[in-house]
Amino acid sequence: MSTYLVTQTSLAQIRPVDPGVDLSGRALAALLRTEMGAEAREIIPLFADPAPVEDAASVDWYTDLPGQPKPLGELPEEERAQVLARIGEQRAHLGALAETIEARGDGASLHSARTLRAALSVPSNDDHIYLIDGSPVIVGGG
């Protein structure tokens, strides 16, 4: 699990797009490293690592990025637009990767493509995207 707490979300705020995939930081990082090699280092920090809170209806979201998390909705409009553009590029790249993986047609590849697509699903930009020391981080994906 990652080190730094980004935020905590209520389970009422998030609903799994695809409950059949593992979106833990470890699983997602392994998938990205397998498919992207060294390039994955730039993408892995985009996704916060979920950790269900025991005996609570919430999830803590962690990252390896040190710094104060700033919700996207609290950023100045120009900075917010830059973050969204950067995430848009990364999401487009990962969406294309999901299509490439899916085209292989085997069961494991289809599952990997589903996992990437689920990770890219974000309930709301302002509430589920944070900026930490210049790097965007998505919580609640999937």
Side-chain angles (χ1 to χ4, degrees), residues 29-106:
L31 170 60
L32 291 170
R33 281 188 198 102
T34 297
E35 297 297 336
M36 300 176 75
E39 185 185 359
R41 284 190 307 242
E42 296 175 25
I43 300 291
I44 290 170
L46 179 62
F47 301 101
D49 192 10
V53 177
E54 198 170 317
D55 297 326
S58 61
V59 176
D60 285 344
W61 297 89
Y62 290 90
T63 183
D64 286 328
L65 299 173
Q68 181 65 39
K70 298 176 193 168
L72 184 67
E74 294 179 10
L75 298 177
E77 190 56 40
E78 184 177 321
E79 188 175 14
R80 183 180 185 281
Q82 291 172 351
V83 170
L84 287 174
R86 182 173 169 192
I87 288 176
E89 291 170 5
Q90 292 171 321
R91 288 168 103 178
H93 181 69
L94 291 174
L97 177 61
E99 288 180 18
T100 299
I101 294 169
E102 185 175 56
R104 295 178 196 151
D106 62 278

Side-chain angles (χ1 to χ4, degrees), residues 18 23 26 29 32 41 45 53 63 66 72-73 76 87 90 93 96-97 109 111 113 116 121 124 128 133 139 142:
D18 189 344
L23 293 176
R26 185 177 317 187
L32 291 170
R41 284 190 307 242
V53 177
T63 183
L72 184 67
I87 288 176
Q90 292 171 321
H93 181 69
L97 177 61
S109 295
H111 184 76
L116 279 179
S121 174
S124 121
H128 294 89
D133 198 28
V139 304

Side-chain angles (χ1 to χ4, degrees), residues 5 7 15 37 42 108 133 141:
L5 180 67
T7 193
R15 296 277 183 250
E42 296 175 25
D133 198 28

